[in-house]
Amino acid sequence: MKAKKVTLRDIADRVGISAASVSMILASKSLSRFSDATIDAVYQASRELGYVSKHVREDRKVVVIVCPSVINPYFATIIQGMEQEAKVKGLGTMLFTTYWDTEEEKRVCAFAKDPMVGGVIFAMIPQQPELVRELNKTVPVVAVGDKQNELGLDTVDVNNFNAGTLVAKHLLDLGHRHIAYLSTSLNSEHSARVRRFEGLKAQVKQYGDGAKLSLFTSEIPSLTELNTVDIEHQTGYLLAKRCMKEAPGVTAMVAINDMVAYGVIDGIKDAGFSIPADYSVCGFDNIYPSSFLGVGLTSVEHYIIQGGKSAVRLLCEKMSAQMPRTLESGAVTRIEYQNRLIVRTSTGKPRL
C-alpha cells in the first residue's frame, strides 16, 4: 500500500497555522512576518512528517560545512576531503565560516534547520556544544576535532592529547629540557589547543629530571581573525620574539599548528638565530607546505583528507536513517585516526 503523501495542510495542522503560511516559510518568503519559534516549528514538522517540497527534493539536499576560516590549509584540506566524498555521494555542499564568532555559529545553526539542509558537518569542535546538540535532534550533525567524551555528538576524532605527548617525547629524547608552547587563544572554546598543551605538560612532568614547559599565548578576537589574513603567522612571529626575550633558556618551541609555526620560524630567523642549531620548532597538522624543502617542519600527521571523507560518510549514514539520532538514544559514533609524528629538519639536538 502506497504511503499517503504529506501536504502543506498536514504541516499546518501540526503547527497550528495556515497552509499559506507554511508555504511562505518553506519557500523563505516574507519570513519577517513570522516568529523564530513558528519558523522552527514548521521546519521541524516538515522533517518529522517527511514532507518533500517540489523545490527541495530529497536527492538535492545540501550538506552545510562549518569551519572557522579557510586561510589555514588544514581547514582547506579537510573541506576538500569532505567535498570529494560529497561528490561521490551525489551531495551538494555549502560552506560557512565563523572566524570563531559565537553569534555567527548561532546564525549557522538557525539556517541549518531549513528543510533544504540534509545535514551539518563542523570542521572543528563547536564553540557552543549545547546549541549544536539541540540542532542534532532534528538535523543530522557530525563534528571533526578533539577527542572528548562529553561532546555528545557523532565525531571524527583527533587525539590532541596524544599529539602533544608525541611532540614532547621527541624533543625530550633529543635532549631538550626547556620547551615552550606557543598558542593563539587558549580557553575552553578551543579544546584542541588546550589538549595539545596538556599532552605536552603531562609528558614533560613524567620525564622529570629538570624538564620544564613554558606557555606563551595571545588572545585573538573574532573580528581580528576575520580582518587579518595572516593572523596565525603574525601571532607565531610575535610569540617567538616574546619567548626569546622572556625565556632565554628555551631551546625548543612548539606551535599550536603549522601556520603559527611558520611565524615562529620567521621570528627566530629574523632575530639572527638558526633552526635547529639554536632553536628546534614543531607544529601540528602536517599541512602540505610543511613538507617543502625550504620549510621542513617537524609536525604531527592527523590524516586530514581521510578525516574529511569519513565525516561525510558518517553524516550520510545519519541522513539515510528515518530520524537523526538524538542524545536520548545514548548512541554516539566516534571515528579516530592515529597520530603520527613526521620528523623533518626543523628539530635537532639543543644548543650547548
Side-chain angles (χ1 to χ4, degrees), residues 144-200:
V144 179
D146 184 47
K147 180 180 181 181
Q148 51 178 314
N149 294 327
E150 68 273 16
L151 187 62
L153 295 169
D154 295 315
T155 56
V156 177
D157 291 333
V158 173
N159 191 332
N160 286 292
F161 183 90
N162 169 258
T165 63
L166 286 177
V167 169
K169 185 177 187 307
H170 170 63
L171 294 172
L172 291 166
D173 286 348
L174 285 172
H176 295 276
R177 295 296 176 266
H178 193 174
I179 301 167
Y181 181 61
L182 284 58
S183 176
T184 43
S185 304
L186 193 67
N187 52 48
S188 60
E189 292 182 355
H190 301 285
S191 63
R193 302 174 188 177
V194 174
R195 292 293 285 166
R196 289 174 184 179
F197 175 61
E198 290 174 343
L200 282 162

Side-chain angles (χ1 to χ4, degrees), residues 258-274:
D258 288 5
M259 288 292 287
V260 173
Y262 301 156
V264 171
I265 289 171
D266 284 351
I268 291 171
K269 290 183 175 180
D270 189 50
F273 296 105
S274 62

Side-chain angles (χ1 to χ4, degrees), residues 267-284:
I268 291 171
K269 290 183 175 180
D270 189 50
F273 296 105
S274 62
I275 299 168
D278 295 307
Y279 292 97
S280 287
V281 180
C282 293
F284 295 91

